[in-house]
Amino acid sequence: MAGLLAVHTRCPLVYVQPQVELHLHIEGTLEPELMLQLAERNGLPAPFESVAAARAAYNFENLQSFLDLYYAGCAVLCKEQDFTDLAMAYLKKCAEENVTHTEIMFDPQTHMANGVSFKTVLNGLLEAVESARKEYGVEAGLIMSILRHLPESEAHELMDVALPFKEHFVAIGLDSSELGHPPEKFQSVMARARKVGHTGHAKDSATVRPQVNEPWRLGDHPLAGGTPTWSMVHSYAVKCCG
């Protein structure tokens, strides 16, 4: 969000406009202070010796170095309250920056590999979503993400666990390492997702070619992933990840 704050300084009109953030990986918003606090609260070794050391590590050079940091932070997220605290810290910043709608990607496979249940992750995030709606007036939707570097069979295992809770997220997407893991790797998962929803593009779903981090939409929310049209967002300043 630092880039947007710079835009606010140059163009105050952007700041006063209600804003929409359509692509946000919630685990990637974990600040060093909260990371170390959660490690201590959960009796875990801190990923870094100090806040300063953690901040220095945030000067990553490429996607993989960012992902290494990202997964180190994920290791301190163990309990529902951890996920609530993580999401609330982000949603509070949304309110401060006049973001009124956000779509949050989350990585259940990462946490399940650390022994954290899908329900723990989801319930913690949902608590934050509801609290932010009441306290800040920020509306948030959840996008369940599938890790690209894992085999498609494990994505189907995730779907088995997640689909009974599908009413709680607006889309299914892809994230993690892109090199060597094209979206086409997940064609059968995409087909399965389309049976319970449709893609988030203004095209016939059968013609949509999977793109990097393209979410497969599960509901009829006008901003639930995909590429928004101007008619959808004409009164918003839109923040997207390219």
Side-chain angles (χ1 to χ4, degrees), residues 17-76:
Q17 286 276 85
Q19 296 169 53
V20 176
E21 184 152 49
L22 299 181
H23 186 124
L24 188 284
H25 299 268
I26 192 62
E27 293 91 347
T29 69
L30 183 60
E31 295 281 354
E33 292 84 356
L34 182 57
M35 180 193 299
L36 298 185
Q37 177 186 333
L38 294 180
E40 181 178 5
R41 188 165 82 188
N42 292 323
L44 297 171
F48 299 95
E49 293 183 357
S50 65
V51 169
R55 288 205 178 280
Y58 276 54
N59 294 316
F60 46 85
E61 299 178 353
N62 52 44
L63 175 60
Q64 190 55 54
S65 61
F66 164 73
L67 290 173
D68 292 342
L69 175 65
Y70 181 92
Y71 291 124
C74 286
V76 307

Side-chain angles (χ1 to χ4, degrees), residues 42-233:
N42 292 323
L44 297 171
F48 299 95
E49 293 183 357
S50 65
V51 169
R55 288 205 178 280
Y58 276 54
N59 294 316
F60 46 85
E61 299 178 353
N62 52 44
L63 175 60
Q64 190 55 54
S65 61
F66 164 73
L67 290 173
D68 292 342
L69 175 65
Y70 181 92
Y71 291 124
C74 286
V76 307
L77 297 164
C78 305
K79 302 173 182 175
E80 284 187 19
Q81 189 61 49
D82 301 342
F83 292 95
T84 301
D85 292 348
L86 170 68
M88 281 301 289
Y90 161 69
L91 291 165
K92 184 175 185 291
K93 288 188 177 181
C94 285
E96 292 169 353
E97 297 189 8
N98 204 21
V99 174
T100 60
H101 177 91
T102 180
E103 294 185 358
I104 299 170
M105 303 182 79
F106 68 106
D107 287 348
Q109 286 169 295
T110 297
H111 308 296
M112 292 165 70
N114 291 335
V116 181
S117 72
F118 181 88
K119 288 184 67 174
T120 295
V121 179
L122 182 63
N123 288 344
L125 295 176
L126 289 174
E127 176 65 27
V129 166
E130 181 62 17
S131 294
R133 185 183 65 79
K134 292 178 180 178
E135 294 180 30
Y136 307 134
V138 175
E139 296 290 338
L142 299 177
I143 298 176
M144 186 187 77
S145 297
I146 293 168
L147 298 180
R148 301 166 73 116
H149 66 272
L150 297 179
E152 188 180 39
S153 60
E154 293 191 26
H156 279 292
E157 292 173 5
L158 173 62
M159 295 280 277
D160 292 339
V161 173
L163 286 182
F165 304 97
K166 65 180 184 293
E167 69 272 15
H168 295 301
F169 43 94
V170 298
I172 297 173
L174 295 175
D175 65 6
S176 190
S177 304
E178 298 173 1
L179 187 62
H181 306 287
E184 289 81 2
K185 173 180 172 180
F186 298 93
Q187 288 288 351
S188 67
V189 176
M190 178 183 288
R192 186 175 177 185
R194 282 176 172 154
K195 287 183 180 180
V196 294
H198 54 84
T199 61
H201 289 255
K203 303 178 184 178
D204 179 79
S205 63
T207 68
V208 176
R209 183 180 182 276
Q211 302 294 325
V212 172
N213 290 327
E214 174 187 295
W216 304 312
R217 189 172 164 193
L218 298 182
D220 196 27
H221 196 293
L223 293 175
T227 304
T229 64
W230 180 245
S231 64
M232 290 178 182
V233 297

